Amino acid sequence: MEEMTEVTEMETAPMENNNELVLVSPEIQPEPQPKRRKKKSMVWEYFTIENVSPGCRRACCNRCKQSFAYSTGSKVAGTSHLKRHIAKGTCRAFLRDQDNNQFSPYTPTVGGSEPRKRRYRIPSSAFIPFDQDRCRLEIARMIIMHEYPLHMVEHPGFIAFVQNLQPRFDKVSFNTIQGDCVATYLREKQSVMKFIEGIPGRVCLTLDMWTSKQTLGYVFITGHFIDFEWKLQRRVFNVIMEPYPDSNSALSHAVAACLSDWSLEGKLFSLTFNHPTSEAGLENLRPLLCTKNPLILNGQLLLGNCVARTLSSMAKDVLGAGQEIVKKIRDSVKYVTTSDLHDEKFFHVKDQLQVPSEKSLILDDQTQWNTTYQMLAAATELKEVFNCLDTSDPDYKLAPSVDDWKLAETLCTFLKPLFNAASILTTTTNPTAITFFHEAWKIHTDLGRSITSEDPFISNLAKSMQEKIDKYWRDCSLILAIAVVMDPRFKMKLVEFSFTKIYGEEAPAFIKIVDDGIHELFHEYVALPLPLTPTYADEGNAGIGKGDESHQGNLLSDQGLSDFDVYIMETSNQQMKSEVDQYLEESLLPRVQEFDVLGWWKLNKMKYPTLSKMARDILSIPVSAAAPDSVFDITIKQLDEYRSSLRPETVEALICAKDWLQYGSEVASNALVKMEF
């Protein structure tokens, strides 16, 4: 019995050597070894322990055969360095195995059971309880942000997906998710209202009229304003359904509803819209402006001529005049881009000819004129390749003629300044009125020269385009000019220079309208009681601590200084008037390319306290009513059939909430911004 015990102990105490069992001879009595704990670490799937010398063992990688320290005597190195060898990608053999396994086909299990998986201990993670309401909120946000149909929550595919993802989730109906989306809209609206209720200046609105298959109109109303940090902001305020969009009261009804909804009565500075409006319709809109004289600057605070629509209309004229050559080039581009074989042959010819153009061929979207311009511009640079393509591809029979290419280049010459101007509207961070004074003047001047061309095609096309830019200039040049005056690099000097070029002997009359408008508008700002205006109130209180609030309140109370306000108004009129004159008489700033005009006014608001408030409002005037993604549209925007079937309130909630959600937590920081200001 004693002898059997010895053998058993020797058999159960193996020495590990390449996974083989080594029996110790009975004649040699080994020292009793402690019972080793079974190795549970995952690294032993990739390593084998080898005996190097008595008392020294090393771990050898089964993949790359590299060895690592494991134990020397009683000291054990652990497994962290072994894990790093596998997990950090040091073992190249292991990486190769991983890459091969990534593309290995799926092997079905045999007998209906899967092979046993080894279980490893993983770090414990925090328990996340299931929250049905939170899931519904996230679904509502997802539908709003990505414009998914509300009915998707009732689609069998969505229900099956959610049930597999979380069986405890109770499926929701169309009505439920519609209510969740409206609730999200209302929560976000409260944040936006807090953001705008304390803005120091006035608000400018743009009105973008959409249509629908039911001939209903939807007025997209967007607010533009400059915040306490002198940053230009825009938010979609309302989407209002108008049953009779062509009526004289359609726009005025929508604007009045917006002003009431957002408590903006008396704060509307200008209106920009793209919908044809009669004189009666304009008269309905004028009383909604906050200026005492709505006809100031010839009434151009109502901008009824959206520059995006003007540019799109001019581009449509250009493409219409060359529609035959546009179709030829489109067919050629289509031939190349819709076949990999044709595309390969095209680039083979390009390499042979060593054409330096880096532009890629694109097939245009005929509802967006910029894509057609980009298609023409790329094709004309690659015309040599098209002309020689038939040598490599005999099936290509669509090559335009020399005259066709010449005409295409002419079209690009007309489209390029329109494209450059419209591209400015796709960004919303900088005031656009100043820039478009330059762009409109430049386009007007270029077309004037083109009219005198001896080529009848160029001359006739230029005349058609100039009629439209002339109308835009008549309707909007004064409001653009007053924005230029608020740029310390130009002031009245650029207005005088450009008007002289355009109007000739009649220029002084138009220059006087701008100068009178600036002074008249300035007088309205002077008439505002200084201590009561938001800008002064916030600036005055910005650096006051809690300990000074009581004293400051008594000092500026109506009982203490109400007569002083009257005295200031009576005695300082001439002094305040000189503020605008002082600004105009000072030297112009150097014309640097990257000039932040809003930042300049922020720095100089103490030097020009009243004029800076006026500049803040003028520089927030938008020249386009189109959204940035609709600037290049040729057709009027139409609400899709699905959204047209929803209630108007739901349509408004979905569109407005999507706009607000993209700004994240910006609106929540307005209180902090006010304190810092």
Side-chain angles (χ1 to χ4, degrees):
M1 189 69 179
E2 182 177 345
E3 189 173 339
M4 288 180 62
T5 304
E6 284 184 10
V7 174
T8 303
E9 288 179 355
M10 285 188 292
E11 290 177 346
T12 57
M15 297 186 69
E16 297 176 32
N17 185 11
N18 293 328
N19 293 336
E20 295 180 358
L21 189 65
V22 180
L23 296 178
V24 182
S25 172
E27 289 79 8
I28 303 174
Q29 297 294 335
E31 296 180 5
Q33 297 183 8
K35 187 176 181 180
R36 293 192 179 90
R37 184 165 52 92
K38 185 178 180 181
K39 296 178 173 58
K40 296 182 179 180
S41 175
M42 63 173 286
V43 300
W44 301 118
E45 290 185 3
Y46 307 100
F47 289 88
T48 301
I49 295 179
E50 294 181 341
N51 290 309
V52 179
S53 61
C56 178
R57 296 187 296 171
R58 295 182 68 83
C60 179
C61 176
N62 297 333
R63 301 296 203 278
C64 66
K65 304 306 179 183
Q66 184 178 352
S67 66
F68 299 85
Y70 179 61
S71 67
T72 302
S74 60
K75 295 182 180 180
V76 180
T79 59
S80 298
H81 60 306
L82 306 181
K83 290 178 182 178
R84 286 196 295 271
H85 178 67
I86 298 297
K88 299 295 184 180
T90 307
C91 182
R92 299 190 179 278
F94 177 74
L95 288 179
R96 285 196 298 270
D97 293 344
Q98 290 291 95
D99 292 339
N100 294 333
N101 292 336
Q102 182 177 354
F103 301 102
S104 61
Y106 168 69
T107 305
T109 57
V110 180
S113 62
E114 295 185 359
R116 240 180 113 189
K117 295 181 180 178
R118 186 169 179 179
R119 301 180 63 186
Y120 303 105
R121 291 177 298 171
I122 59 174
S124 59
S125 57
F127 174 70
I128 303 176
F130 170 68
D131 188 338
Q132 172 82 10
D133 294 336
R134 179 69 182 179
C135 291
R136 281 174 46 187
L137 170 64
E138 292 303 326
I139 291 176
R141 289 170 61 91
M142 176 187 70
I143 288 175
I144 291 170
M145 292 168 61
H146 303 291
E147 299 185 9
Y148 296 141
L150 295 172
H151 284 90
M152 72 172 290
V153 296
E154 297 178 346
H155 294 169
F158 179 80
I159 294 174
F161 167 72
V162 173
Q163 287 299 314
N164 279 279
L165 192 66
Q166 175 51 265
R168 295 171 59 193
F169 181 79
D170 296 330
K171 65 180 182 179
V172 293
S173 65
F174 165 83
N175 289 331
T176 300
I177 202 64
Q178 179 178 235
D180 292 343
C181 289
V182 172
T184 300
Y185 157 77
L186 293 174
R187 282 193 299 271
E188 295 298 323
K189 185 175 182 179
Q190 290 300 315
S191 298
V192 177
M193 291 192 80
K194 291 179 181 178
F195 182 56
I196 68 169
E197 69 183 3
I199 58 174
R202 296 169 177 176
V203 175
C204 301
L205 297 181
T206 57
L207 313 177
D208 190 11
M209 179 71 80
W210 289 34
T211 62
S212 67
K213 290 185 177 180
Q214 295 83 7
T215 68
L216 300 173
Y218 290 84
V219 186
F220 285 59
I221 304 179
T222 304
H224 302 255
F225 53 91
I226 294 174
D227 63 15
F228 280 87
E229 286 297 315
W230 285 83
K231 301 296 182 183
L232 188 60
Q233 302 282 352
R234 65 180 301 274
R235 297 290 188 278
V236 177
F237 282 168
N238 296 95
V239 178
I240 298 177
M241 190 267 285
E242 289 293 337
Y244 307 100
D246 295 324
S247 67
N248 295 331
S249 60
L251 294 183
S252 58
H253 171 266
V255 173
C258 173
L259 297 179
S260 174
D261 188 21
W262 293 89
S263 302
L264 293 174
E265 294 92 342
K267 296 195 71 175
L268 177 60
F269 186 65
S270 76
L271 277 170
T272 306
F273 45 95
N274 62 1
H275 190 62
T277 307
S278 64
E279 188 59 38
L282 293 176
E283 292 304 319
N284 290 334
L285 288 169
R286 293 192 202 282
L288 300 175
L289 298 176
C290 63
T291 53
K292 294 180 180 178
N293 178 13
L295 295 176
I296 192 173
L297 295 169
N298 286 356
Q300 288 191 14
L301 288 176
L302 286 180
L303 289 171
N305 204 336
C306 166
V307 71
R309 295 292 168 259
T310 300
L311 295 174
S312 293
S313 178
M314 295 169 68
K316 195 173 179 181
D317 287 348
V318 176
L319 297 175
Q323 58 183 348
E324 293 182 4
I325 179 57
V326 171
K327 185 180 185 305
K328 285 184 180 181
I329 292 179
R330 182 182 294 121
D331 289 341
S332 290
V333 172
K334 188 184 301 182
Y335 179 86
V336 173
T337 58
T338 56
S339 168
D340 291 339
L341 179 61
H342 298 165
D343 185 67
E344 184 179 341
K345 292 179 178 179
F346 183 86
F347 278 95
H348 176 68
V349 175
K350 179 186 175 184
D351 291 340
Q352 285 186 325
L353 296 175
Q354 296 182 347
V355 177
S357 175
E358 297 295 329
K359 290 187 177 179
S360 301
L361 292 178
I362 61 167
L363 194 60
D364 65 329
D365 174 359
Q366 297 183 48
T367 65
Q368 298 264 315
W369 66 265
N370 62 311
T371 62
T372 306
Y373 162 69
Q374 291 167 333
M375 179 186 71
L376 293 175
T380 53
E381 285 196 10
L382 297 167
K383 62 183 179 181
E384 295 178 29
V385 185
F386 281 107
N387 292 336
C388 299
L389 183 58
D390 57 352
T391 60
S392 176
D393 187 355
D395 294 332
Y396 177 66
K397 308 291 185 183
L398 304 171
S401 65
V402 174
D403 291 338
D404 289 337
W405 286 119
K406 183 178 179 182
L407 181 58
E409 290 171 348
T410 300
L411 297 180
C412 289
T413 302
F414 279 106
L415 288 172
K416 184 177 181 180
L418 304 182
F419 174 77
N420 292 338
S423 297
I424 299 171
L425 299 173
T426 59
T427 60
T428 59
T429 56
N430 298 311
T432 54
I434 297 174
T435 306
F436 267 90
F437 182 87
H438 300 268
E439 296 298 328
W441 170 40
K442 184 168 59 177
I443 293 172
H444 189 281
T445 304
D446 291 344
L447 290 175
R449 286 195 294 264
S450 298
I451 289 176
T452 62
S453 172
E454 296 180 359
D455 187 331
F457 177 83
I458 295 177
S459 178
N460 293 333
L461 180 56
K463 287 178 182 177
S464 172
M465 296 174 67
Q466 191 175 49
E467 289 178 5
K468 295 181 177 180
I469 196 65
D470 277 347
K471 184 180 185 309
Y472 179 79
W473 187 261
R474 286 194 305 270
D475 294 344
C476 306
S477 61
L478 298 180
I479 199 64
L480 298 181
I482 201 172
V484 168
V485 175
M486 293 296 103
D487 189 328
R489 296 172 298 171
F490 304 114
K491 302 184 182 179
M492 283 295 296
K493 296 299 182 182
L494 183 60
V495 175
E496 295 166 359
F497 174 78
S498 57
F499 278 20
T500 301
K501 294 283 187 181
I502 295 173
Y503 298 113
E505 295 180 356
E506 298 178 357
F510 290 96
I511 295 172
K512 186 175 186 303
I513 293 175
V514 176
D515 187 68
D516 291 346
I518 291 173
H519 284 83
E520 183 179 354
L521 191 59
F522 180 73
H523 289 324
E524 286 196 15
Y525 283 83
V526 170
L528 296 174
L530 296 185
L532 302 181
T533 56
T535 300
Y536 285 98
D538 289 322
E539 286 178 356
N541 293 333
I544 299 173
K546 290 184 178 181
D548 299 328
E549 286 180 359
S550 176
H551 176 72
Q552 187 73 14
N554 293 334
L555 180 63
L556 298 179
S557 64
D558 290 341
Q559 292 81 1
L561 292 176
S562 58
D563 293 339
F564 180 68
D565 294 340
V566 177
Y567 174 76
I568 289 292
M569 295 299 300
E570 292 176 349
T571 61
S572 302
N573 188 47
Q574 187 63 33
Q575 179 182 353
M576 294 302 295
K577 181 180 179 181
S578 66
E579 188 179 310
V580 66
D581 294 327
Q582 178 187 350
Y583 166 76
L584 293 175
E585 290 169 3
E586 287 183 349
S587 301
L588 302 180
L589 293 184
R591 291 196 310 276
V592 294
Q593 187 69 24
E594 299 296 329
F595 179 71
D596 182 5
V597 64
L598 294 179
W600 187 89
W601 280 106
K602 179 182 179 181
L603 293 175
N604 288 272
K605 65 180 182 289
M606 300 305 292
K607 181 178 181 180
Y608 303 110
T610 303
L611 189 61
S612 63
K613 294 195 301 178
M614 188 175 98
R616 188 198 301 260
D617 296 337
I618 291 173
L619 295 176
S620 65
I621 296 176
V623 295
S624 172
D629 60 350
S630 303
V631 167
F632 297 101
D633 286 352
I634 290 179
T635 58
I636 297 176
K637 297 288 285 188
Q638 186 177 73
L639 204 67
D640 62 75
E641 188 173 351
Y642 176 76
R643 289 199 169 184
S644 299
S645 67
L646 302 175
R647 294 186 304 145
E649 296 83 0
T650 304
V651 174
E652 180 179 54
L654 294 173
I655 293 173
C656 292
K658 180 186 177 182
D659 178 75
W660 301 337
L661 286 172
Q662 69 177 311
Y663 297 100
S665 59
E666 286 182 15
V667 294
S669 64
N670 186 45
L672 179 62
V673 170
K674 288 175 61 176
M675 290 174 62
E676 291 177 348
F677 183 80

